[in-house]
Amino acid sequence: MGFKHISLFLLLSLLILTILSGADQALASDKKQHVSQRNKTALAAAGGGGKEMLKGRKQTSGCNLFQGRWVFDASYPFYDSSTCPFIDGEFDCLKFGRPDKQFLKYSWLPDSCTVPRFDGEAFLKKWRGKRVMFVGDSLSLNMWESLGCMIHSSVPNTKTTFLKRTPLSSLTFQEYDVTLFLYRTPYLVDISKESVGRVLNLGAIEDGADAWKNMDLLVFNSWHWWTHTGVQSQGWDFIRDGSSLTRDMDRLDAFNKGLTTWGQWIDQNVNISQTRVFFQGISPTHYMGREWNEPRKTCNGQMQPLTGSTYPGGSLPAASIVSRVLSSMRTSVYLLDITTLSQLRKDAHPSTYGGDGGTDCSHWCLPGLPDTWNQLLYAALSM
């Protein structure tokens, strides 16, 4: 009888040990999964995510650079506009009397990762001997000048060659043999002179596109000029859509067709083993205060970003077109999805401090928001 009790006790002890061992293994496995995921996020934030991060057009891992909020940051801005020789007057808000400076003191804080601080010298070393080109309208100009100033502030004594021309401008950091180009073409597709006048050809990219080839990094942008109306501002007299010639058409439809032509050009002419391709994303305007619940306001006099991570006015239809075109392409183009984070910056425009006497709620002050675009470009390039 005693032997039976001893056997039963031993059996129960063995069973308890087995259960505890299984629980420990499950706990260790669960802990390992959490550590693994944390390591992945840290790796992505540190720039170790690999090229697979680019395949989804946006980031598909735990680090989404474009979902977050603006926070006050006393370490900003990256540079002083008075010491940067590359800024156009229309962006130099402090030079033209903007009295408030708090708009310079905000950094973008993603919800799921840390953005590495921009290091201009590290950028030059990584891209030594390379050619970087921004292609698009004056928002490309905004971003190109911003990147030039950010790099210059890191290596203020390095020699540069700065050539400002139309349509092709360049800034070369001679010691590193790195050139930043700007190619001005507001529609990406061609405008040609025909007997009827200036014709926007939605199906053609021939004028100057050879200049885009053989670059190591391409950053494209287009949209703002597609919304212009009137003979003086729209840049064309007729639109050619296939065999059809019309005085006007739905501008979103025209943008979709023009951007599709651009996408086909990229697929046919760009080798992504040699060239990284980005699309800058749609930069918003702030002329209508009702979009952020101040119906009688514009960007004029705004001194703070909107709080939170969503814009009351909602998304932009043009941004949806960009996403749709990029997803239909064979070439992997990284969408620098700056739309929402820029919508939150109603305070960052030149407004009446652009030097021309008007109210500019379309472009951005330098230093300012385009510096964040470039910091996110810098982060994306490291992933």
Side-chain angles (χ1 to χ4, degrees):
M1 193 69 179
F3 176 78
K4 287 182 179 180
H5 278 106
I6 292 171
S7 299
L8 182 60
F9 175 77
L10 290 173
L11 183 61
L12 286 171
S13 298
L14 181 62
L15 180 61
I16 291 170
L17 285 172
T18 301
I19 293 171
L20 289 175
S21 176
D24 286 342
Q25 290 178 2
L27 182 61
S29 175
D30 183 60
K31 185 177 180 181
K32 184 178 181 181
Q33 288 178 6
H34 283 292
V35 171
S36 175
Q37 182 58 46
R38 185 166 63 248
N39 285 346
K40 286 180 182 178
T41 303
L43 182 65
K51 289 188 178 179
E52 67 274 13
M53 299 288 287
L54 300 180
K55 290 183 179 177
R57 273 73 178 185
K58 287 191 207 175
Q59 293 173 344
T60 56
S61 186
C63 175
N64 183 344
L65 292 172
F66 311 106
Q67 177 73 35
R69 58 193 172 88
W70 289 98
V71 296
F72 182 82
D73 190 333
S75 71
Y76 277 52
F78 288 100
Y79 55 90
D80 185 330
S81 60
S82 66
T83 62
C84 181
F86 316 125
I87 301 179
D88 273 39
E90 62 183 311
F91 308 140
D92 196 347
C93 303
L94 297 183
K95 177 181 178 180
F96 287 101
R98 180 162 178 168
D100 61 304
K101 295 184 179 180
Q102 187 170 329
F103 75 97
L104 300 171
K105 297 291 185 180
Y106 290 99
S107 64
W108 177 247
L109 181 64
D111 293 335
S112 55
C113 54
T114 301
V115 178
R117 189 169 178 88
F118 183 86
D119 184 332
E121 187 174 14
F123 180 92
L124 290 174
K125 288 179 178 178
K126 179 177 180 179
W127 292 86
R128 186 184 296 274
K130 304 295 187 181
R131 294 150 61 89
V132 177
M133 179 175 278
F134 293 86
V135 182
D137 57 26
S138 53
L139 277 307
S140 293
L141 171 67
N142 229 173
M143 190 172 179
W144 175 67
E145 291 185 359
S146 162
L147 182 59
C149 291
M150 291 170 76
I151 295 173
H152 180 265
S153 69
S154 295
V155 287
N157 297 320
T158 194
K159 291 183 178 180
T160 60
T161 302
F162 184 51
L163 299 174
K164 193 79 180 295
R165 297 171 179 167
T166 301
L168 184 62
S169 299
S170 64
L171 169 59
T172 300
F173 293 87
Q174 295 178 14
E175 179 183 343
Y176 301 88
D177 191 25
V178 174
T179 301
L180 311 180
F181 293 98
L182 171 71
Y183 192 94
R184 294 290 296 271
T185 174
Y187 303 101
L188 299 180
V189 292
D190 292 346
I191 291 183
S192 56
K193 292 182 179 179
E194 300 185 18
S195 58
V196 294
R198 302 165 300 170
V199 176
L200 176 63
N201 192 335
L202 301 180
I205 293 183
E206 297 175 2
D207 296 343
D210 282 345
W212 311 350
K213 295 179 180 178
N214 302 315
M215 292 290 153
D216 299 286
L217 171 62
L218 285 166
V219 184
F220 290 93
N221 157 66
S222 185
W223 169 238
H224 278 231
W225 279 77
W226 293 87
T227 66
H228 290 187
T229 59
V231 175
Q232 296 299 319
S233 64
Q234 68 185 16
W236 45 265
D237 303 304
F238 289 86
I239 298 177
R240 184 173 296 285
D241 180 15
S243 60
S244 172
L245 192 66
T246 179
R247 284 195 176 274
D248 209 348
M249 63 185 294
D250 181 89
R251 300 304 178 83
L252 283 169
D253 188 28
F255 178 58
N256 180 53
K257 292 182 177 183
L259 200 61
T260 298
T261 298
W262 165 83
Q264 293 168 348
W265 187 93
I266 293 293
D267 282 341
Q268 294 167 9
N269 292 279
V270 174
N271 182 352
I272 59 169
S273 67
Q274 299 174 358
T275 304
R276 303 282 289 273
V277 185
F278 285 73
F279 197 92
Q280 186 176 328
I282 303 299
S283 175
T285 62
H286 288 96
Y287 289 103
M288 296 182 291
R290 66 175 180 271
E291 292 181 356
W292 62 91
N293 301 320
E294 289 185 319
R296 297 184 181 182
K297 301 284 187 177
T298 66
C299 72
N300 190 23
Q302 301 290 336
M303 292 187 289
Q304 295 180 355
L306 290 166
T307 58
S309 58
T310 57
Y311 186 62
S315 61
L316 298 177
S320 299
I321 290 173
V322 170
S323 295
R324 187 162 61 246
V325 170
L326 295 190
S327 65
S328 70
M329 295 169 61
R330 295 193 311 271
T331 305
S332 183
V333 176
Y334 189 111
L335 176 59
L336 200 68
D337 193 7
I338 52 90
T339 300
T340 300
L341 65 90
S342 301
Q343 285 179 314
L344 298 174
R345 292 306 307 273
K346 58 184 174 63
D347 60 316
H349 296 282
S351 63
T352 57
Y353 304 104
D356 63 357
T359 298
D360 183 355
C361 299
S362 177
H363 301 100
W364 308 93
C365 295
L366 294 179
L369 177 64
D371 304 333
T372 296
W373 300 349
N374 281 310
Q375 189 175 9
L376 294 174
L377 174 65
Y378 179 76
L381 285 169
S382 69
M383 294 179 173

